[in-house]
PDB file of all heavy atoms in Angstrom:
ATOM      1  N   ASP J 141     129.335  70.633  79.905  1.00 97.00           N
ATOM      2  CA  ASP J 141     130.645  70.080  80.252  1.00 97.00           C
ATOM      3  C   ASP J 141     130.603  68.699  80.891  1.00 97.00           C
ATOM      4  O   ASP J 141     131.627  68.225  81.395  1.00 97.00           O
ATOM      5  CB  ASP J 141     131.399  71.075  81.142  1.00 97.00           C
ATOM      6  CG  ASP J 141     131.817  72.296  80.322  1.00 97.00           C
ATOM      7  OD1 ASP J 141     132.564  72.118  79.351  1.00 97.00           O
ATOM      8  OD2 ASP J 141     131.339  73.410  80.628  1.00 97.00           O
ATOM      9  N   ILE J 142     129.454  68.059  80.853  1.00 98.00           N
ATOM     10  CA  ILE J 142     129.376  66.680  81.365  1.00 98.00           C
ATOM     11  C   ILE J 142     128.892  65.735  80.251  1.00 98.00           C
ATOM     12  O   ILE J 142     129.027  64.520  80.353  1.00 98.00           O
ATOM     13  CB  ILE J 142     128.447  66.588  82.611  1.00 98.00           C
ATOM     14  CG1 ILE J 142     128.688  65.297  83.408  1.00 98.00           C
ATOM     15  CG2 ILE J 142     126.978  66.708  82.236  1.00 98.00           C
ATOM     16  CD1 ILE J 142     129.960  65.254  84.177  1.00 98.00           C
ATOM     17  N   LEU J 143     128.380  66.319  79.176  1.00 98.00           N
ATOM     18  CA  LEU J 143     127.742  65.544  78.108  1.00 98.00           C
ATOM     19  C   LEU J 143     128.643  64.433  77.548  1.00 98.00           C
ATOM     20  O   LEU J 143     128.177  63.313  77.300  1.00 98.00           O
ATOM     21  CB  LEU J 143     127.333  66.512  76.992  1.00 98.00           C
ATOM     22  CG  LEU J 143     126.026  66.282  76.256  1.00 98.00           C
ATOM     23  CD1 LEU J 143     124.880  65.939  77.178  1.00 98.00           C
ATOM     24  CD2 LEU J 143     125.696  67.519  75.421  1.00 98.00           C
ATOM     25  N   ALA J 144     129.905  64.732  77.375  1.00 98.00           N
ATOM     26  CA  ALA J 144     130.811  63.745  76.779  1.00 98.00           C
ATOM     27  C   ALA J 144     131.096  62.573  77.722  1.00 98.00           C
ATOM     28  O   ALA J 144     131.631  61.547  77.290  1.00 98.00           O
ATOM     29  CB  ALA J 144     132.125  64.425  76.387  1.00 98.00           C
ATOM     30  N   ASP J 145     130.724  62.713  78.993  1.00 98.00           N
ATOM     31  CA  ASP J 145     131.022  61.657  79.978  1.00 98.00           C
ATOM     32  C   ASP J 145     129.841  60.748  80.271  1.00 98.00           C
ATOM     33  O   ASP J 145     129.969  59.820  81.074  1.00 98.00           O
ATOM     34  CB  ASP J 145     131.455  62.314  81.303  1.00 98.00           C
ATOM     35  CG  ASP J 145     132.747  63.081  81.147  1.00 98.00           C
ATOM     36  OD1 ASP J 145     133.731  62.475  80.723  1.00 98.00           O
ATOM     37  OD2 ASP J 145     132.744  64.305  81.436  1.00 98.00           O
ATOM     38  N   ILE J 146     128.683  61.031  79.682  1.00 98.00           N
ATOM     39  CA  ILE J 146     127.489  60.283  80.091  1.00 98.00           C
ATOM     40  C   ILE J 146     126.831  59.550  78.920  1.00 98.00           C
ATOM     41  O   ILE J 146     127.158  59.773  77.753  1.00 98.00           O
ATOM     42  CB  ILE J 146     126.461  61.206  80.790  1.00 98.00           C
ATOM     43  CG1 ILE J 146     125.968  62.312  79.847  1.00 98.00           C
ATOM     44  CG2 ILE J 146     127.078  61.805  82.054  1.00 98.00           C
ATOM     45  CD1 ILE J 146     124.937  63.241  80.472  1.00 98.00           C
ATOM     46  N   ASP J 147     125.897  58.648  79.269  1.00 98.00           N
ATOM     47  CA  ASP J 147     125.209  57.838  78.256  1.00 98.00           C
ATOM     48  C   ASP J 147     123.793  58.329  77.993  1.00 98.00           C
ATOM     49  O   ASP J 147     123.218  58.025  76.951  1.00 98.00           O
ATOM     50  CB  ASP J 147     125.144  56.379  78.733  1.00 98.00           C
ATOM     51  CG  ASP J 147     126.529  55.816  78.992  1.00 98.00           C
ATOM     52  OD1 ASP J 147     127.237  55.549  78.010  1.00 98.00           O
ATOM     53  OD2 ASP J 147     126.921  55.679  80.170  1.00 98.00           O
ATOM     54  N   LEU J 148     123.231  59.054  78.971  1.00 98.00           N
ATOM     55  CA  LEU J 148     121.808  59.379  78.905  1.00 98.00           C
ATOM     56  C   LEU J 148     121.529  60.711  79.606  1.00 98.00           C
ATOM     57  O   LEU J 148     122.110  60.989  80.656  1.00 98.00           O
ATOM     58  CB  LEU J 148     121.036  58.264  79.624  1.00 98.00           C
ATOM     59  CG  LEU J 148     119.533  58.421  79.793  1.00 98.00           C
ATOM     60  CD1 LEU J 148     118.815  57.757  78.624  1.00 98.00           C
ATOM     61  CD2 LEU J 148     119.033  57.773  81.078  1.00 98.00           C
ATOM     62  N   VAL J 149     120.651  61.512  78.999  1.00 99.00           N
ATOM     63  CA  VAL J 149     120.083  62.667  79.711  1.00 99.00           C
ATOM     64  C   VAL J 149     118.597  62.387  79.882  1.00 99.00           C
ATOM     65  O   VAL J 149     117.900  62.060  78.919  1.00 99.00           O
ATOM     66  CB  VAL J 149     120.263  63.985  78.933  1.00 99.00           C
ATOM     67  CG1 VAL J 149     119.504  65.117  79.636  1.00 99.00           C
ATOM     68  CG2 VAL J 149     121.740  64.341  78.806  1.00 99.00           C
ATOM     69  N   CYS J 150     118.127  62.474  81.124  1.00 99.00           N
ATOM     70  CA  CYS J 150     116.701  62.313  81.403  1.00 99.00           C
ATOM     71  C   CYS J 150     116.122  63.706  81.595  1.00 99.00           C
ATOM     72  O   CYS J 150     116.387  64.365  82.603  1.00 99.00           O
ATOM     73  CB  CYS J 150     116.524  61.459  82.658  1.00 99.00           C
ATOM     74  SG  CYS J 150     114.815  61.317  83.189  1.00 99.00           S
ATOM     75  N   LEU J 151     115.382  64.158  80.588  1.00 98.00           N
ATOM     76  CA  LEU J 151     114.751  65.483  80.687  1.00 98.00           C
ATOM     77  C   LEU J 151     113.399  65.321  81.366  1.00 98.00           C
ATOM     78  O   LEU J 151     112.491  64.668  80.826  1.00 98.00           O
ATOM     79  CB  LEU J 151     114.528  66.072  79.293  1.00 98.00           C
ATOM     80  CG  LEU J 151     115.712  66.651  78.527  1.00 98.00           C
ATOM     81  CD1 LEU J 151     115.214  67.309  77.245  1.00 98.00           C
ATOM     82  CD2 LEU J 151     116.475  67.656  79.377  1.00 98.00           C
ATOM     83  N   MET J 152     113.267  65.921  82.534  1.00 99.00           N
ATOM     84  CA  MET J 152     111.984  65.842  83.234  1.00 99.00           C
ATOM     85  C   MET J 152     110.988  66.772  82.553  1.00 99.00           C
ATOM     86  O   MET J 152     111.235  67.969  82.416  1.00 99.00           O
ATOM     87  CB  MET J 152     112.134  66.254  84.702  1.00 99.00           C
ATOM     88  CG  MET J 152     112.957  65.314  85.559  1.00 99.00           C
ATOM     89  SD  MET J 152     112.465  63.574  85.497  1.00 99.00           S
ATOM     90  CE  MET J 152     110.729  63.660  85.952  1.00 99.00           C
ATOM     91  N   SER J 153     109.868  66.181  82.141  1.00 98.00           N
ATOM     92  CA  SER J 153     108.829  66.986  81.499  1.00 98.00           C
ATOM     93  C   SER J 153     107.662  67.220  82.453  1.00 98.00           C
ATOM     94  O   SER J 153     106.600  67.705  82.036  1.00 98.00           O
ATOM     95  CB  SER J 153     108.385  66.326  80.193  1.00 98.00           C
ATOM     96  OG  SER J 153     108.376  64.930  80.306  1.00 98.00           O
ATOM     97  N   VAL J 154     107.869  66.854  83.723  1.00 98.00           N
ATOM     98  CA  VAL J 154     106.985  67.242  84.838  1.00 98.00           C
ATOM     99  C   VAL J 154     107.919  67.486  86.018  1.00 98.00           C
ATOM    100  O   VAL J 154     109.097  67.120  85.961  1.00 98.00           O
ATOM    101  CB  VAL J 154     105.995  66.103  85.228  1.00 98.00           C
ATOM    102  CG1 VAL J 154     105.060  65.767  84.082  1.00 98.00           C
ATOM    103  CG2 VAL J 154     106.730  64.859  85.718  1.00 98.00           C
ATOM    104  N   ASN J 155     107.410  68.078  87.082  1.00 98.00           N
ATOM    105  CA  ASN J 155     108.223  68.165  88.292  1.00 98.00           C
ATOM    106  C   ASN J 155     108.232  66.787  88.951  1.00 98.00           C
ATOM    107  O   ASN J 155     107.173  66.200  89.188  1.00 98.00           O
ATOM    108  CB  ASN J 155     107.674  69.240  89.231  1.00 98.00           C
ATOM    109  CG  ASN J 155     108.009  70.618  88.707  1.00 98.00           C
ATOM    110  OD1 ASN J 155     109.177  71.013  88.673  1.00 98.00           O
ATOM    111  ND2 ASN J 155     107.002  71.346  88.251  1.00 98.00           N
ATOM    112  N   PRO J 156     109.434  66.239  89.222  1.00 98.00           N
ATOM    113  CA  PRO J 156     109.512  64.857  89.665  1.00 98.00           C
ATOM    114  C   PRO J 156     108.844  64.627  91.022  1.00 98.00           C
ATOM    115  O   PRO J 156     108.779  65.529  91.848  1.00 98.00           O
ATOM    116  CB  PRO J 156     111.020  64.596  89.755  1.00 98.00           C
ATOM    117  CG  PRO J 156     111.659  65.927  89.884  1.00 98.00           C
ATOM    118  CD  PRO J 156     110.760  66.878  89.128  1.00 98.00           C
ATOM    119  N   GLY J 157     108.357  63.419  91.208  1.00 98.00           N
ATOM    120  CA  GLY J 157     107.744  63.053  92.481  1.00 98.00           C
ATOM    121  C   GLY J 157     106.487  62.218  92.331  1.00 98.00           C
ATOM    122  O   GLY J 157     106.192  61.390  93.186  1.00 98.00           O
ATOM    123  N   PHE J 158     105.778  62.425  91.233  1.00 97.00           N
ATOM    124  CA  PHE J 158     104.508  61.729  91.069  1.00 97.00           C
ATOM    125  C   PHE J 158     104.257  61.349  89.613  1.00 97.00           C
ATOM    126  O   PHE J 158     104.656  62.089  88.706  1.00 97.00           O
ATOM    127  CB  PHE J 158     103.352  62.636  91.538  1.00 97.00           C
ATOM    128  CG  PHE J 158     103.520  63.103  92.952  1.00 97.00           C
ATOM    129  CD1 PHE J 158     104.152  64.317  93.219  1.00 97.00           C
ATOM    130  CD2 PHE J 158     103.088  62.317  94.020  1.00 97.00           C
ATOM    131  CE1 PHE J 158     104.350  64.747  94.526  1.00 97.00           C
ATOM    132  CE2 PHE J 158     103.277  62.739  95.336  1.00 97.00           C
ATOM    133  CZ  PHE J 158     103.909  63.963  95.591  1.00 97.00           C
ATOM    134  N   GLY J 159     103.587  60.227  89.429  1.00 97.00           N
ATOM    135  CA  GLY J 159     103.127  59.854  88.100  1.00 97.00           C
ATOM    136  C   GLY J 159     101.830  60.612  87.791  1.00 97.00           C
ATOM    137  O   GLY J 159     101.244  61.249  88.666  1.00 97.00           O
ATOM    138  N   GLY J 160     101.411  60.539  86.550  1.00 97.00           N
ATOM    139  CA  GLY J 160     100.095  61.064  86.178  1.00 97.00           C
ATOM    140  C   GLY J 160      99.982  62.569  86.055  1.00 97.00           C
ATOM    141  O   GLY J 160      98.871  63.112  86.080  1.00 97.00           O
ATOM    142  N   GLN J 161     101.095  63.294  85.927  1.00 98.00           N
ATOM    143  CA  GLN J 161     101.027  64.752  85.761  1.00 98.00           C
ATOM    144  C   GLN J 161     101.035  65.113  84.265  1.00 98.00           C
ATOM    145  O   GLN J 161     101.324  64.283  83.414  1.00 98.00           O
ATOM    146  CB  GLN J 161     102.220  65.417  86.441  1.00 98.00           C
ATOM    147  CG  GLN J 161     102.376  65.097  87.920  1.00 98.00           C
ATOM    148  CD  GLN J 161     103.582  65.813  88.522  1.00 98.00           C
ATOM    149  OE1 GLN J 161     103.547  67.004  88.804  1.00 98.00           O
ATOM    150  NE2 GLN J 161     104.669  65.072  88.702  1.00 98.00           N
ATOM    151  N   SER J 162     100.761  66.402  83.982  1.00 98.00           N
ATOM    152  CA  SER J 162     100.703  66.834  82.578  1.00 98.00           C
ATOM    153  C   SER J 162     102.067  67.259  82.053  1.00 98.00           C
ATOM    154  O   SER J 162     102.835  67.941  82.753  1.00 98.00           O
ATOM    155  CB  SER J 162      99.765  68.034  82.420  1.00 98.00           C
ATOM    156  OG  SER J 162      98.495  67.667  82.840  1.00 98.00           O
ATOM    157  N   PHE J 163     102.327  66.910  80.834  1.00 98.00           N
ATOM    158  CA  PHE J 163     103.562  67.259  80.112  1.00 98.00           C
ATOM    159  C   PHE J 163     103.722  68.778  80.038  1.00 98.00           C
ATOM    160  O   PHE J 163     102.779  69.494  79.668  1.00 98.00           O
ATOM    161  CB  PHE J 163     103.464  66.669  78.703  1.00 98.00           C
ATOM    162  CG  PHE J 163     104.674  66.886  77.843  1.00 98.00           C
ATOM    163  CD1 PHE J 163     105.765  66.037  77.921  1.00 98.00           C
ATOM    164  CD2 PHE J 163     104.711  67.945  76.934  1.00 98.00           C
ATOM    165  CE1 PHE J 163     106.885  66.227  77.110  1.00 98.00           C
ATOM    166  CE2 PHE J 163     105.829  68.148  76.123  1.00 98.00           C
ATOM    167  CZ  PHE J 163     106.912  67.285  76.216  1.00 98.00           C
ATOM    168  N   ILE J 164     104.903  69.277  80.384  1.00 98.00           N
ATOM    169  CA  ILE J 164     105.189  70.720  80.296  1.00 98.00           C
ATOM    170  C   ILE J 164     105.668  71.009  78.865  1.00 98.00           C
ATOM    171  O   ILE J 164     106.740  70.532  78.460  1.00 98.00           O
ATOM    172  CB  ILE J 164     106.258  71.128  81.333  1.00 98.00           C
ATOM    173  CG1 ILE J 164     105.751  70.847  82.759  1.00 98.00           C
ATOM    174  CG2 ILE J 164     106.645  72.598  81.171  1.00 98.00           C
ATOM    175  CD1 ILE J 164     106.787  71.019  83.863  1.00 98.00           C
ATOM    176  N   PRO J 165     104.879  71.785  78.086  1.00 98.00           N
ATOM    177  CA  PRO J 165     105.164  71.945  76.640  1.00 98.00           C
ATOM    178  C   PRO J 165     106.548  72.508  76.324  1.00 98.00           C
ATOM    179  O   PRO J 165     107.144  72.154  75.308  1.00 98.00           O
ATOM    180  CB  PRO J 165     104.067  72.908  76.165  1.00 98.00           C
ATOM    181  CG  PRO J 165     103.001  72.857  77.198  1.00 98.00           C
ATOM    182  CD  PRO J 165     103.638  72.473  78.496  1.00 98.00           C
ATOM    183  N   HIS J 166     107.079  73.373  77.219  1.00 98.00           N
ATOM    184  CA  HIS J 166     108.396  73.980  77.004  1.00 98.00           C
ATOM    185  C   HIS J 166     109.509  72.928  76.837  1.00 98.00           C
ATOM    186  O   HIS J 166     110.567  73.200  76.253  1.00 98.00           O
ATOM    187  CB  HIS J 166     108.710  74.905  78.187  1.00 98.00           C
ATOM    188  CG  HIS J 166     110.070  75.507  78.149  1.00 98.00           C
ATOM    189  ND1 HIS J 166     110.484  76.348  77.133  1.00 98.00           N
ATOM    190  CD2 HIS J 166     111.137  75.386  78.982  1.00 98.00           C
ATOM    191  CE1 HIS J 166     111.734  76.723  77.357  1.00 98.00           C
ATOM    192  NE2 HIS J 166     112.158  76.149  78.469  1.00 98.00           N
ATOM    193  N   THR J 167     109.238  71.705  77.318  1.00 98.00           N
ATOM    194  CA  THR J 167     110.229  70.620  77.195  1.00 98.00           C
ATOM    195  C   THR J 167     110.636  70.392  75.740  1.00 98.00           C
ATOM    196  O   THR J 167     111.775  70.015  75.458  1.00 98.00           O
ATOM    197  CB  THR J 167     109.640  69.305  77.764  1.00 98.00           C
ATOM    198  OG1 THR J 167     109.049  69.590  79.036  1.00 98.00           O
ATOM    199  CG2 THR J 167     110.710  68.233  77.933  1.00 98.00           C
ATOM    200  N   LEU J 168     109.686  70.639  74.814  1.00 98.00           N
ATOM    201  CA  LEU J 168     110.002  70.399  73.394  1.00 98.00           C
ATOM    202  C   LEU J 168     111.174  71.268  72.933  1.00 98.00           C
ATOM    203  O   LEU J 168     112.040  70.805  72.183  1.00 98.00           O
ATOM    204  CB  LEU J 168     108.766  70.660  72.518  1.00 98.00           C
ATOM    205  CG  LEU J 168     107.616  69.663  72.687  1.00 98.00           C
ATOM    206  CD1 LEU J 168     106.408  70.089  71.860  1.00 98.00           C
ATOM    207  CD2 LEU J 168     108.039  68.241  72.309  1.00 98.00           C
ATOM    208  N   ASN J 169     111.234  72.521  73.413  1.00 98.00           N
ATOM    209  CA  ASN J 169     112.377  73.385  73.072  1.00 98.00           C
ATOM    210  C   ASN J 169     113.667  72.831  73.650  1.00 98.00           C
ATOM    211  O   ASN J 169     114.727  72.881  73.020  1.00 98.00           O
ATOM    212  CB  ASN J 169     112.184  74.806  73.638  1.00 98.00           C
ATOM    213  CG  ASN J 169     110.971  75.474  73.044  1.00 98.00           C
ATOM    214  OD1 ASN J 169     110.711  75.315  71.868  1.00 98.00           O
ATOM    215  ND2 ASN J 169     110.213  76.200  73.861  1.00 98.00           N
ATOM    216  N   LYS J 170     113.567  72.324  74.883  1.00 98.00           N
ATOM    217  CA  LYS J 170     114.766  71.775  75.527  1.00 98.00           C
ATOM    218  C   LYS J 170     115.292  70.564  74.764  1.00 98.00           C
ATOM    219  O   LYS J 170     116.498  70.368  74.619  1.00 98.00           O
ATOM    220  CB  LYS J 170     114.466  71.416  76.988  1.00 98.00           C
ATOM    221  CG  LYS J 170     114.195  72.638  77.850  1.00 98.00           C
ATOM    222  CD  LYS J 170     113.810  72.260  79.269  1.00 98.00           C
ATOM    223  CE  LYS J 170     115.011  71.809  80.090  1.00 98.00           C
ATOM    224  NZ  LYS J 170     114.627  71.567  81.506  1.00 98.00           N
ATOM    225  N   ILE J 171     114.372  69.722  74.276  1.00 98.00           N
ATOM    226  CA  ILE J 171     114.793  68.538  73.511  1.00 98.00           C
ATOM    227  C   ILE J 171     115.576  68.976  72.276  1.00 98.00           C
ATOM    228  O   ILE J 171     116.663  68.464  71.992  1.00 98.00           O
ATOM    229  CB  ILE J 171     113.586  67.672  73.068  1.00 98.00           C
ATOM    230  CG1 ILE J 171     112.777  67.195  74.269  1.00 98.00           C
ATOM    231  CG2 ILE J 171     114.060  66.477  72.233  1.00 98.00           C
ATOM    232  CD1 ILE J 171     111.466  66.503  73.902  1.00 98.00           C
ATOM    233  N   LYS J 172     115.029  69.958  71.562  1.00 98.00           N
ATOM    234  CA  LYS J 172     115.682  70.415  70.312  1.00 98.00           C
ATOM    235  C   LYS J 172     117.062  70.988  70.599  1.00 98.00           C
ATOM    236  O   LYS J 172     118.029  70.698  69.880  1.00 98.00           O
ATOM    237  CB  LYS J 172     114.811  71.461  69.612  1.00 98.00           C
ATOM    238  CG  LYS J 172     113.559  70.850  68.989  1.00 98.00           C
ATOM    239  CD  LYS J 172     112.681  71.926  68.343  1.00 98.00           C
ATOM    240  CE  LYS J 172     111.276  71.387  68.118  1.00 98.00           C
ATOM    241  NZ  LYS J 172     110.248  72.403  68.076  1.00 98.00           N
TER     242      LYS J 172
END
Side-chain angles (χ1 to χ4, degrees):
D141 290 300
I142 198 72
L143 218 44
D145 296 304
I146 62 179
D147 302 287
L148 175 92
V149 173
C150 175
L151 284 186
M152 293 308 305
S153 36
V154 297
N155 285 293
F158 304 93
Q161 304 181 77
S162 300
F163 182 84
I164 299 172
H166 175 62
T167 313
L168 292 175
N169 298 321
K170 293 176 75 175
I171 301 172
K172 288 178 197 154

